[in-house]
């Protein structure tokens, strides 16, 4: 099989990888903030539950979590599993896992803001919501951008773990083609795809950091 044909087939898997990446990034960034706020809540029970959740998500393999999300409905509730659920399980598993990491990144950024700023906002008459999202969060985003970039780059590579649920993303496609052709070429081309993907992510975050450096 020619390199052009291999690239064409891997391109189909790349679309799936990009879909997993995009959906996971959006959902986990939003859910991560929610978890962070719950983790920092004054309600001890809520804080402890979320702290335990984050600990479990960070302390167990992502592949294992994907398997639990996929097979859990059947083994726990007896719900019949269909092949169409594979992709949903991947997206849910990835989002739940990465939300835990982003929650801790958010928490570190929020904790870095001096408490005096919160007092100043109260004196100036800002509500907690206005002060947090209007004044505090822009500063937090600037602080957490580097670690978020690192996690995002890791996410690009972790999309290959979808093979555990037989989702035909790029790595799975590369393995199938390599096995059929007994050639390393598909792996080399896949490596190039991942490298370019991560390079684009790194450039985007670098531009964001430079833009925020002026604020």
């Amino acid at each position: 099989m020619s390199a052009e044909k291999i690239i064409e087939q891997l391109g189909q898997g790349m679309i799936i990888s990009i879909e997993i990446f995009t959906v996971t990034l959006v959902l986990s960034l939003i859910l991560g903030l929610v978890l962070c706020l719950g983790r920092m809540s004054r309600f001890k029970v809520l804080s402890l539950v979320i702290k335990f959740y984050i600990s479990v998500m960070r302390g167990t393999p992502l592949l294992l979590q994907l398997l639990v999300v996929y097979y859990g409905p059947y083994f726990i509730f007896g719900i019949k599993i269909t092949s169409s659920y594979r992709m949903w399980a991947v997206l849910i598993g990835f989002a739940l896992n990465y939300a835990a990491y982003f929650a801790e990144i958010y928490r570190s950024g929020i904790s870095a803001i001096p408490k005096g700023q919160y007092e100043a906002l109260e004196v100036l008459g800002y509500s907690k919501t206005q002060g947090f999202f209007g004044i505090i969060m822009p500063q937090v985003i600037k602080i957490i951008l580097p670690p978020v970039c690192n996690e995002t780059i890791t996410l690009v590579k972790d999309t290959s773990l979808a093979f555990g649920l037989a989702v035909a993303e790029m790595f799975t496609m590369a393995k199938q083609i390599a096995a059929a052709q007994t050639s390393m070429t598909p792996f080399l081309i896949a490596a190039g795809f991942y490298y370019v993907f991560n390079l684009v992510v790194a450039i985007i975050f670098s531009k964001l950091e430079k833009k925020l450096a002026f604020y």
Side-chain angles (χ1 to χ4, degrees):
M1 184 183 293
S2 65
E4 291 79 8
K5 201 70 175 178
I6 294 174
I7 292 174
E8 182 181 344
Q9 291 192 20
L10 287 180
Q12 298 172 7
M14 187 63 175
I15 293 174
I16 302 299
S17 295
I18 292 174
E19 182 180 348
I20 296 171
F21 169 82
T22 304
V23 174
T24 298
L25 186 61
V26 172
L27 292 181
S28 59
L29 282 172
I30 296 172
L31 181 57
L33 180 58
V34 174
L35 290 173
C36 170
L37 296 177
R39 169 77 171 79
M40 301 180 74
S41 171
R42 294 179 181 179
F43 297 100
K44 293 297 182 183
V45 175
L46 176 62
S47 179
L48 287 173
V49 168
I50 293 179
K51 184 178 180 180
F52 176 73
Y53 168 82
I54 292 173
S55 177
V56 171
M57 289 293 108
R58 297 175 70 193
T60 56
L62 174 55
L63 182 55
L64 175 61
Q65 294 168 23
L66 292 176
L67 293 173
V68 170
V69 172
Y70 182 66
Y71 291 106
Y74 175 75
F75 288 119
I76 298 174
F77 304 107
I79 300 174
K80 184 179 179 181
I81 297 173
T82 62
S83 58
S84 61
Y85 178 60
R86 293 181 188 277
M87 187 62 174
W88 282 104
V90 167
L91 296 176
I92 293 170
F94 268 84
L96 292 176
N97 177 273
Y98 270 85
Y101 287 91
F102 285 132
E104 287 299 282
I105 292 174
Y106 279 125
R107 189 171 69 88
S108 67
I110 293 172
S111 298
I113 304 297
K115 292 183 178 180
Q117 287 203 30
Y118 293 95
E119 296 171 357
L121 290 172
E122 188 176 348
V123 171
L124 292 172
Y126 284 91
S127 68
K128 289 184 178 181
T129 302
Q130 288 175 329
F132 181 78
F133 288 102
I135 306 297
I136 301 300
M137 274 307 292
Q139 298 178 69
V140 170
I141 291 172
K142 182 178 178 180
I143 294 170
I144 68 174
L145 210 53
V148 168
C149 176
N150 290 335
E151 284 300 321
T152 304
I153 288 174
T154 300
L155 172 59
V156 172
K157 294 177 286 186
D158 276 353
T159 56
S160 62
L161 293 177
F163 82 90
L165 297 185
V167 172
E169 43 67 57
M170 188 174 61
F171 181 67
T172 302
M173 294 291 292
K175 285 200 305 176
Q176 292 174 352
I177 297 171
Q181 301 295 319
T182 61
S183 170
M184 285 293 293
T185 302
F187 289 130
L188 295 175
I189 295 175
F193 267 124
Y194 282 116
Y195 177 75
V196 171
F197 197 167
N198 272 323
L199 185 61
V200 171
V201 170
I203 290 173
I204 291 173
F205 273 93
S206 177
K207 289 184 178 297
L208 284 174
E209 285 186 51
K210 289 180 180 178
K211 184 176 181 179
L212 292 174
F214 293 100
Y215 296 96

